[in-house]
Amino acid sequence: MTMTTTYATKIEDRTLGHLLYALMSGFPLLLLPVLLSLFINFSQRQSHGNPLLASHLRWQRHSNIAFLGLLVLGYCVPQTWLSLSIYFFGVIWFCNRIIRGWLSLLDGLEI
């Protein structure tokens, strides 16, 4: 007697998400990786085939836009101490978003 087992697994390609998180983590390099990540993210906006990747692309898009907004706000504030506080908060917040998002992607969880 032979027993056959069929496993139907859906393979999800997460390489784009990993690439964009890696680019986001390179933000100290004059923000060029963040801008490149945002450009790639907006170019992939129409692909809705993978709900896991779509949720992470949305998470990354909101993170990048908010981080750039905080940097612009910090630049526009005339007081140095307040400007540096906004920059510091923005960097800590952005690092938190990268780590939480990337760990969720590794675990296969939508965010």
Side-chain angles (χ1 to χ4, degrees), residues 21 24-25 27-28 59 63 67 88-102:
Y21 279 121
M24 288 170 59
S25 66
F27 71 90
W59 172 267
S63 299
F67 180 61
F88 182 72
F89 171 76
V91 167
I92 296 298
W93 176 81
F94 192 63
C95 289
N96 180 37
R97 296 278 289 197
I98 293 170
I99 292 168
R100 280 183 44 203
W102 210 341

Side-chain angles (χ1 to χ4, degrees), residues 21-109:
Y21 279 121
L23 284 173
M24 288 170 59
S25 66
F27 71 90
L29 301 173
L30 301 175
L31 296 177
L32 292 178
V34 173
L35 295 175
L36 181 62
S37 162
L38 191 60
F39 176 74
I40 293 171
N41 196 321
F42 276 122
S43 69
Q44 296 295 319
R45 196 172 201 177
Q46 302 302 325
S47 62
H48 297 290
N50 187 346
L52 174 70
L53 187 59
S55 75
H56 281 276
L57 289 177
R58 186 176 52 253
W59 172 267
Q60 292 170 355
R61 191 169 37 250
H62 293 150
S63 299
N64 285 338
I65 291 171
F67 180 61
L68 292 174
L70 282 171
L71 292 181
V72 169
L73 178 66
Y75 181 75
C76 292
V77 172
Q79 291 88 5
T80 305
W81 66 271
L82 187 57
S83 177
L84 291 176
S85 298
I86 292 171
Y87 289 149
F88 182 72
F89 171 76
V91 167
I92 296 298
W93 176 81
F94 192 63
C95 289
N96 180 37
R97 296 278 289 197
I98 293 170
I99 292 168
R100 280 183 44 203
W102 210 341
L103 289 176
S104 295
L105 184 64
L106 286 172
D107 291 339
L109 303 172

